[in-house]
């Protein structure tokens, strides 16, 4: 079981599913919303229980970004045409038992840092 919360605790989530695709996203939307990078993993949307006043921002035609309207924590991402929802690894309670597997959207990364941890990079 994995559970997590936003900074103020108003929004909480939990899942009994095994998170997949633990990754770091370097796209400009994730960098703007998070302040740098967004680390996440995904589970089936039906297996993710979310409580509290999460607000969904429509960042594109199909993209939805869920955040806490009280403290601003960026917690969720989903594509409305898909059946999974990604959640912030940084919001999880420890120990997570998870390991990052890759970097994604690296072609869109900022020019102020390098990626040097040796994990696979997907442009
Ligand atoms: Zn909050």
């Amino acid at each position: 079981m994995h559970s997590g919360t936003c900074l103020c605790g108003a929004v909480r989530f939990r899942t009994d599913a095994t998170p997949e695709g633990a990754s770091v996203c370097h796209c400009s939307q994730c960098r703007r919303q998070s302040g740098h990078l967004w680390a996440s993993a995904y589970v089936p949307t039906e297996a993710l229980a979310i409580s509290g006043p999460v607000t969904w921002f429509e960042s594109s035609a199909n993209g939805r970004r869920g955040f806490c309207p009280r403290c601003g924590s960026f917690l969720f991402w989903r594509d409305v045409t898909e059946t999974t929802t990604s959640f912030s690894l940084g919001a999880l309670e420890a120990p997570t038992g998870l390991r990052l597997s890759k970097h994604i959207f690296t072609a869109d990364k900022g020019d102020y840092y390098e990626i040097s941890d040796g994990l696979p990079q997907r442009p």
Side-chain angles (χ1 to χ4, degrees):
M1 199 275 284
H2 290 86
S3 63
T5 180
C6 66
L7 179 59
C8 77
V11 177
R12 296 178 176 278
F13 62 94
R14 57 167 288 157
T15 185
D16 291 320
T18 301
E20 296 184 64
S23 63
V24 180
C25 186
H26 297 256
C27 84
S28 60
Q29 292 189 350
C30 280
R31 289 192 296 109
R32 285 186 193 285
Q33 195 168 19
S34 69
H36 183 36
L37 309 174
W38 194 52
S40 70
Y42 62 85
V43 293
T45 297
E46 63 185 15
L48 183 66
I50 299 173
S51 64
V54 63
T55 297
W56 293 92
F57 171 63
E58 297 186 15
S59 55
S60 64
N62 294 332
R64 300 290 183 275
R65 292 170 170 271
F67 63 95
C68 173
R70 183 175 169 202
C71 70
S73 297
F74 168 32
L75 297 169
F76 309 108
W77 181 90
R78 73 169 52 136
D79 180 319
V80 294
T81 67
E82 297 176 356
T83 59
T84 59
T85 295
S86 297
F87 57 86
S88 292
L89 294 181
L92 288 176
E93 304 297 337
T96 68
L98 302 173
R99 297 296 295 177
L100 292 172
S101 63
K102 61 182 180 289
H103 294 269
I104 61 175
F105 290 99
T106 56
D108 210 14
K109 85 172 192 60
D111 63 2
Y112 57 91
Y113 63 91
E114 301 302 328
I115 304 170
S116 56
D117 59 12
L119 290 175
Q121 300 183 25
R122 273 199 354 218

